[in-house]
Amino acid sequence: MADYFAMDSRQCAQELDSLRKIYEEYAAKGLKLDMSRGKPAPDQLDLSMDLLTITDYKGETGIDSRNYGNLEGMPEARRFFADILGAQPDEVIVGGNSSLNMMYYLIDLGWRLGFADSPAAWNACGRPKFLCPAPGYDRHFRVTEYFGFELIAVPMLPTGPDMDCVEALVKDEAVKGIWCVPLYSNPDGYSYSDETVRRLAAMKTAAPDFKIMWDNAYCVHHLTDTHDVILNMLEECRKAGHEDRALMFCSLSKVTFPGAGVAAMAASRRNIDYILKNMFPMIISFDKLNQVRHIRFLKDMDGLAAHMEKHRALLEPKFRAVLAILDEGLSGCGSIARWTKPNGGYFLSLYTLGGCAKRTVQLCREAGVVLTDAGAAYPYGVDPQDSNIRIAPTFPPLDELETASRLLCVCVRIATLEKLLQRQ
Amino acid sequence: MADYFAMDSRQCAQELDSLRKIYEEYAAKGLKLDMSRGKPAPDQLDLSMDLLTITDYKGETGIDSRNYGNLEGMPEARRFFADILGAQPDEVIVGGNSSLNMMYYLIDLGWRLGFADSPAAWNACGRPKFLCPAPGYDRHFRVTEYFGFELIAVPMLPTGPDMDCVEALVKDEAVKGIWCVPLYSNPDGYSYSDETVRRLAAMKTAAPDFKIMWDNAYCVHHLTDTHDVILNMLEECRKAGHEDRALMFCSLSKVTFPGAGVAAMAASRRNIDYILKNMFPMIISFDKLNQVRHIRFLKDMDGLAAHMEKHRALLEPKFRAVLAILDEGLSGCGSIARWTKPNGGYFLSLYTLGGCAKRTVQLCREAGVVLTDAGAAYPYGVDPQDSNIRIAPTFPPLDELETASRLLCVCVRIATLEKLLQRQ
C-alpha cells in the first residue's frame, strides 16, 4: 500500500485494477451481511432471559402492576429512571417500550398545542424549524420532518454540535428545538463537552419555549474502561434559569430487549404535569408489569452497571475488530479516510474522501454487504460532502463482521481511486 | 314497599324518613367501596399468570420477537386477531398494550392529515364533529373532545344508536365519524342489531372519508349462555362499497392483564397501508415479545373461548347479585328506575327518574361507595335527563358488591322521594 495522493494516474489505475480483482473475489462469495442498523445481537438478548420468568407483579407500594392505572409509571420505576437520568422521581414519566415513541409524542404535542411555556402551538408560526446536529440519528430527524419542520443541519464536532452555529441559529424564533444524543452520539460516538452542555442550557433563544430533545440513548453503554461523562442537562438548564428547556430520554431497549424494553423521560415538574395532563386522553396506562419486571431484574444502578458489563464483553471485541481492520486496510493509503473511535454506544463513523460515501456503500451492497445508506445521518438524507458512512458493528457475528469490514476497506479504496482518477 | 307514585306527600315523607335511618346505618359503617371503573378483579388477573413464564420468543416464521422490526406485528398475532375481528391477517395491525391508544392515534391522524380517502385533513373544515351514541364510553368521547371535535350525542337504543338520527346527522360534511361499542355496549350492555350494522355500513355520508370507530372491546366477554352475535362491520362496509369506512379494534386487556395486554385493529388494506406508513416515524415496533407470549398462552379461538369461560365463572355471580339486589330493592317501588340486563361485557346501566342520578351518586359517595360520576357516559359529561348511572360490578369482591348495591337501592329511593316531594 502507498499514499494514494502520491500516485500518478497510471499507478492509480494499476492499484484500482488489482483491487477490483479482490472485490470480485468477495462478490463471488455470495455474501449476505447486514451492518445497517444498531440492533443488538441475539447473544446480547440472551443476557436478559431471566427477566422473562419474573412473576412478582406487586409494586413496592402495593400497586397491582397488572391492572389499569398509574399513567406516570410504577413508583420504583420512576425512582430507577430518575437515578439513570439524574432527576427526581416526580420529574420522570416511565412509558412503554419505545423512547422514540415518547419523543414523537412530544414533538407532536409541541407542534399541535405547544408546551406549558409556549405562547402558541409551534405550528402557529407557519413553518417551525428544528436543529439537527449532523451526522445524527435519522429517526430523530424523520420525526420533525414528518411534522413539517424545516430541518437545519448543524455541524457535529467531537465536543458536540458547533455551538457558535447553534447560538446564531436560535436567534430565529421559528427555531423550536434541537435533537441531541449527548453521550456516544449516533453515529460518531462523540460525547458533549461540559462547555457545550452549559452553552446549550444558558443560550438566549428567540423562542421562549425552545426545547432540547436530550436523547441519552447510550447513557450506560460503555465499551471501554474509559467512561465518558456528561453534565446533567436538566440541572444545567435549571441553573441557567431555563428549567423547562430540557426534555431528557432514555431507554432499556439496548439493555434488555429492543422491542420489549422500557422507555422513560425526565423534565421539570411543570413540564411533567403538563405532559401527563395531555397524555391522559391518549392511554390509560403504559405496561407497568414490564416496568416492574425490569426493575426486579436490574435492581439498581449497580445491577444495571454489572449487566452492561456483560454487553460490553460481547460488543468490545466487535468494535476492536472493525477498528483494527480499518486501520490495517486504510491507514497505509494516505489520508483517504478517517474514522471515530468511540468509548461507548452502538456506532462509529467512517469519513471517506468527499464524494466517495455513496459509491462505497453501493459497492458494498453489490457485493452482498448492506450498510446504512450514505447520507442517512443527515437531514433529508443528504450528506453535502457525501463523506459519512455509519458503521453498526453490533448485530453481525464477529467473523461476518470481519469479512464485511475487509470488504468495506476494499470498497473505500476503489471509490477513492475512481474519484482520484476522475480528478486527474 | 309500595308504589311511590301512588303515595301522597305525607307517605313519601314517612318513607323518606325511614330510608334515611337505614342510610345513616350504612354511613356509620365507614364503607370504602369502589364501583366506578371497569377493572377486572385480581382473581381474574390470576387466571393468566402462566403467561408470565413463557420464554419461547421465536416467531413461527423465525422472527426474534425480542428485537426491533415488524411494526405491523408478529405474523401469528396478526392471524389470531384477524380471527377475532373477522378480517384477513394483512388487514390487521397488532399494537401495544392499549386499544385506546390506537384509537387516539387514528383520531389524531384523521384530524392532522386525514385518511387515504380524505380530500383534506379533518381539521381543515374548521370544527369537525363526531357522533357519540349516548350513554357510551367516556374515554372515547374524551379523545375527540381533546382534539376539538364537536361531540354530537345520538340516543342509544337496545338495537344500537338511533339510526334515523345518525342518517340525518351524517348529511353534514363536518361529521367525520361515529364511536361504537357494538357488542355489550358500555354502559348499557346492548348489542347492535343486524339492521343497525347494515345501515351504518350503507348510509350515505356527506364526508367521503367518514369513519366508524368500531371498538369491539367485549367481543369475547360473554356472561351467560346467550352469546349476542353481531355482523362483521368491515365485511358489511365492503358489501356496501364503503370498505374504507370501518376501523375495528379489540384488546386483550380484559382477557389477560389490563395494563399489559395486546391491542389490535383491523381495516381495509388501503387503510392499513396508509396507517403503517404514517406510524413509521412514530415507533420502531410494538412489543412483539408480549404478542408472542399472548398467542402461545391463548393459542387460538378455542383456547380464547375456554379462557373467557373462566372469567365468566368469576363475573356472572357478580352481575347476578347486582341484578337480584336491584330487583329486590327497587321493583316494589313502582317505575322509579329501570336497569339493563346484559349478556356480556363489563357494565350495566341503571336509569333513575329524571333528575335523580347525580343526587343518587352523591348520596352513595357520602356513605363511602364510589360510583362512576353521573353523566360521565354522555358527551361533555352531561346527561340531559340526569338519569343514567353506570354500574361496574367486576372489581369489588362479591360481599362488598352486595353491600354497595343495597346502599345504591336505598340512595335511589331517597333521591326519588326527594324529587317527588319537590314536585308535590
Side-chain angles (χ1 to χ4, degrees):
Chain A
M1 279 198 284
D3 186 340
Y4 283 8
F5 296 99
M7 286 181 177
D8 62 22
S9 61
R10 197 190 48 84
Q11 288 168 315
C12 278
Q14 220 166 29
E15 169 81 357
L16 183 56
D17 210 47
S18 72
L19 283 167
R20 279 187 177 146
K21 288 201 183 81
I22 299 170
Y23 177 81
E24 290 310 325
E25 284 165 27
Y26 277 101
K29 289 184 190 183
L31 300 174
K32 272 197 171 173
L33 311 181
D34 193 333
M35 285 212 291
S36 70
R37 300 290 322 173
K39 279 169 77 166
D43 56 359
Q44 293 180 262
L45 307 185
D46 290 343
L47 297 174
S48 300
M49 289 305 285
D50 285 349
L51 188 158
L52 292 186
T53 45
I54 295 172
T55 56
D56 185 3
Y57 55 81
K58 278 234 181 67
E60 59 186 15
T61 58
I63 296 171
D64 187 335
S65 70
R66 302 171 302 180
N67 222 322
Y68 292 119
N70 303 93
L71 176 59
E72 70 284 359
M74 291 295 283
E76 51 267 65
R78 294 180 93 187
R79 205 171 58 233
F80 180 84
F81 282 104
D83 286 347
I84 295 183
L85 286 161
Q88 295 302 311
D90 60 2
E91 294 169 332
V92 169
I93 299 170
V94 187
N97 72 324
S98 166
S99 57
L100 183 69
N101 194 199
M102 294 186 108
M103 294 178 234
Y104 172 99
Y105 175 73
L106 292 171
I107 294 297
D108 174 26
L109 182 61
W111 179 85
R112 175 167 45 82
L113 276 186
F115 287 88
D117 54 346
S118 296
W122 285 352
N123 72 19
C125 78
R127 192 173 185 198
K129 300 174 187 173
F130 225 82
L131 303 186
C132 302
Y137 181 33
D138 56 340
R139 298 296 297 252
H140 283 166
F141 302 164
R142 185 170 286 120
V143 172
T144 30
E145 183 180 358
Y146 177 72
F147 281 96
F149 288 76
E150 186 183 336
L151 309 185
I152 314 278
V154 173
M156 183 70 187
L157 308 176
T159 52
D162 180 334
M163 284 308 300
D164 292 341
C165 182
V166 169
E167 285 163 349
L169 287 164
V170 297
K171 289 175 185 162
D172 177 355
E173 204 184 332
V175 173
K176 301 302 185 190
I178 184 170
W179 288 110
C180 299
V181 182
L183 191 75
Y184 309 133
S185 71
N186 175 351
D188 293 315
Y190 294 148
S191 297
Y192 287 24
S193 71
D194 292 355
E195 190 198 336
T196 299
V197 177
R198 291 203 180 99
R199 285 173 74 178
L200 281 166
M203 67 190 178
K204 230 185 121 176
T205 61
D209 53 347
F210 184 91
K211 292 285 171 278
I212 297 172
M213 299 292 283
W214 195 250
D215 183 6
N216 212 342
Y218 309 112
C219 51
V220 289
H221 303 61
H222 311 291
L223 286 169
T224 72
D225 286 335
T226 308
H227 292 194
D228 290 4
V229 177
I230 51 167
L231 288 177
N232 179 332
M233 181 51 93
L234 183 57
E235 190 55 33
E236 293 303 316
C237 282
R238 193 167 281 143
K239 281 188 208 162
H242 300 137
E243 72 165 341
D244 294 334
R245 183 177 288 182
L247 301 174
M248 311 200 297
F249 307 88
C250 72
S251 166
L252 300 181
S253 284
K254 293 188 180 79
V255 172
T256 60
F257 305 121
V262 178
M265 66 164 299
S268 70
R269 274 290 302 276
R270 186 180 178 209
N271 273 325
I272 294 296
D273 290 348
Y274 177 80
I275 292 162
L276 282 174
K277 198 187 77 184
N278 277 283
M279 277 182 167
F280 178 75
M282 184 177 74
I283 188 165
I284 312 272
S285 53
F286 295 105
D287 186 341
K288 299 187 304 294
L289 184 53
N290 204 31
Q291 294 176 10
V292 167
R293 286 150 60 98
H294 271 78
I295 306 313
R296 294 255 188 285
F297 177 66
L298 296 168
K299 296 187 176 71
D300 52 25
M301 292 307 101
D302 288 342
L304 176 61
H307 185 72
M308 293 313 294
E309 277 298 316
K310 297 180 192 167
H311 281 285
R312 172 185 161 182
L314 297 171
L315 290 181
E316 193 179 9
K318 293 186 177 182
F319 276 79
R320 276 186 196 279
V322 172
L323 290 169
I325 290 166
L326 290 176
D327 195 36
E328 187 187 299
L330 296 175
S331 295
C333 307
S335 305
I336 66 166
R338 65 184 178 86
W339 50 94
T340 59
K341 297 166 191 72
N343 292 321
Y346 260 63
F347 303 99
L348 57 98
S349 267
L350 171 68
Y351 291 91
T352 66
L353 219 57
C356 290
K358 273 195 179 164
R359 176 62 178 151
T360 300
V361 170
Q362 181 198 11
L363 284 163
C364 281
R365 186 171 45 237
E366 287 171 7
V369 171
V370 178
L371 299 173
T372 310
D373 280 342
Y378 292 77
Y380 307 112
V382 179
D383 172 5
Q385 310 294 324
D386 186 25
S387 162
N388 179 260
I389 295 173
R390 184 177 84 163
I391 313 275
T394 58
F395 189 73
L398 190 56
D399 58 332
E400 293 189 8
L401 184 68
E402 287 171 341
T403 306
S405 301
R406 288 200 186 94
L407 172 65
L408 170 62
C409 291
V410 173
C411 295
V412 170
R413 289 164 68 183
I414 291 174
T416 307
L417 289 164
E418 289 174 348
K419 178 64 68 183
L420 292 174
L421 281 166
Q422 276 171 30
R423 285 192 197 165
Q424 283 170 347
Chain B
M1 281 197 282
D3 186 339
Y4 283 10
F5 296 99
M7 287 180 176
D8 63 23
S9 59
R10 195 190 51 81
Q11 288 168 316
C12 280
Q14 218 165 32
E15 169 82 356
L16 184 55
D17 209 48
S18 72
L19 283 167
R20 279 188 177 145
K21 288 202 183 84
I22 298 171
Y23 178 79
E24 289 311 323
E25 283 165 28
Y26 276 101
K29 289 184 189 183
L31 300 175
K32 271 194 172 176
L33 310 181
D34 193 333
M35 283 212 293
S36 70
R37 301 289 322 169
K39 280 170 78 166
D43 56 359
Q44 292 180 265
L45 308 185
D46 290 342
L47 297 174
S48 300
M49 289 305 285
D50 286 349
L51 188 157
L52 291 185
T53 46
I54 295 172
T55 56
D56 184 4
Y57 56 82
K58 279 233 180 66
E60 59 186 13
T61 59
I63 296 171
D64 186 336
S65 69
R66 303 170 303 179
N67 223 322
Y68 292 119
N70 302 92
L71 174 59
E72 70 284 359
M74 293 293 284
E76 51 267 65
R78 294 181 93 186
R79 206 172 56 234
F80 180 84
F81 283 103
D83 285 347
I84 294 183
L85 286 160
Q88 294 302 310
D90 61 2
E91 293 170 331
V92 170
I93 299 171
V94 187
N97 72 324
S98 165
S99 58
L100 183 69
N101 194 199
M102 294 185 107
M103 293 178 234
Y104 172 98
Y105 174 74
L106 292 171
I107 294 296
D108 174 25
L109 182 61
W111 180 84
R112 175 168 45 84
L113 276 186
F115 287 88
D117 53 345
S118 296
W122 284 351
N123 71 20
C125 77
R127 190 172 186 200
K129 301 173 188 174
F130 224 83
L131 303 186
C132 302
Y137 180 33
D138 56 341
R139 298 297 296 254
H140 283 166
F141 301 165
R142 186 171 284 120
V143 172
T144 30
E145 182 179 358
Y146 177 72
F147 281 96
F149 288 76
E150 185 184 336
L151 309 185
I152 314 277
V154 173
M156 184 70 187
L157 310 176
T159 52
D162 180 333
M163 284 308 300
D164 292 341
C165 182
V166 169
E167 284 164 349
L169 287 164
V170 297
K171 288 177 184 162
D172 177 354
E173 205 183 332
V175 173
K176 300 304 184 188
I178 185 170
W179 288 111
C180 298
V181 181
L183 191 73
Y184 307 133
S185 70
N186 175 349
D188 293 314
Y190 295 148
S191 297
Y192 286 25
S193 71
D194 292 354
E195 189 198 337
T196 299
V197 176
R198 289 205 180 98
R199 285 172 75 178
L200 281 166
M203 67 188 178
K204 231 184 120 175
T205 61
D209 53 348
F210 185 90
K211 292 286 171 275
I212 297 171
M213 300 293 281
W214 195 250
D215 183 4
N216 212 341
Y218 308 111
C219 52
V220 289
H221 303 62
H222 310 291
L223 287 170
T224 71
D225 285 335
T226 306
H227 292 195
D228 290 5
V229 177
I230 52 167
L231 287 178
N232 178 333
M233 180 52 92
L234 182 58
E235 191 56 31
E236 293 305 315
C237 282
R238 192 167 283 142
K239 280 189 208 162
H242 300 138
E243 72 166 340
D244 295 333
R245 181 176 289 181
L247 301 174
M248 310 200 297
F249 306 88
C250 71
S251 165
L252 301 181
S253 284
K254 293 190 180 79
V255 173
T256 61
F257 305 121
V262 177
M265 67 164 297
S268 70
R269 273 291 301 277
R270 186 180 179 208
N271 273 325
I272 293 296
D273 290 348
Y274 177 81
I275 292 164
L276 283 174
K277 200 186 77 185
N278 277 282
M279 278 184 167
F280 179 75
M282 183 177 76
I283 189 165
I284 312 274
S285 52
F286 296 104
D287 187 342
K288 300 187 301 297
L289 185 51
N290 205 31
Q291 293 175 12
V292 167
R293 288 147 57 99
H294 271 78
I295 307 313
R296 293 254 189 286
F297 176 66
L298 295 168
K299 293 185 179 70
D300 52 25
M301 293 308 101
D302 287 342
L304 176 60
H307 184 73
M308 293 313 294
E309 277 297 316
K310 297 179 192 166
H311 282 284
R312 171 185 162 182
L314 297 170
L315 291 181
E316 193 179 7
K318 294 186 176 181
F319 277 79
R320 275 187 196 277
V322 173
L323 290 169
I325 290 166
L326 289 175
D327 195 36
E328 188 188 300
L330 297 174
S331 294
C333 309
S335 305
I336 67 166
R338 64 183 178 87
W339 50 94
T340 59
K341 297 166 191 70
N343 291 321
Y346 261 63
F347 303 100
L348 57 97
S349 268
L350 170 68
Y351 291 90
T352 67
L353 219 55
C356 292
K358 274 194 181 165
R359 176 63 180 151
T360 301
V361 170
Q362 181 198 13
L363 285 164
C364 281
R365 187 172 45 241
E366 286 170 6
V369 171
V370 179
L371 299 174
T372 309
D373 279 343
Y378 291 78
Y380 307 112
V382 180
D383 171 4
Q385 311 293 326
D386 185 25
S387 161
N388 179 261
I389 295 174
R390 184 177 83 165
I391 312 277
T394 59
F395 190 71
L398 190 56
D399 58 332
E400 295 189 7
L401 184 68
E402 287 171 342
T403 306
S405 300
R406 285 197 190 96
L407 172 64
L408 171 61
C409 291
V410 173
C411 296
V412 170
R413 288 165 68 184
I414 291 175
T416 305
L417 289 164
E418 288 174 348
K419 179 65 66 183
L420 291 175
L421 282 167
Q422 277 170 31
R423 285 192 198 164
Q424 283 167 349

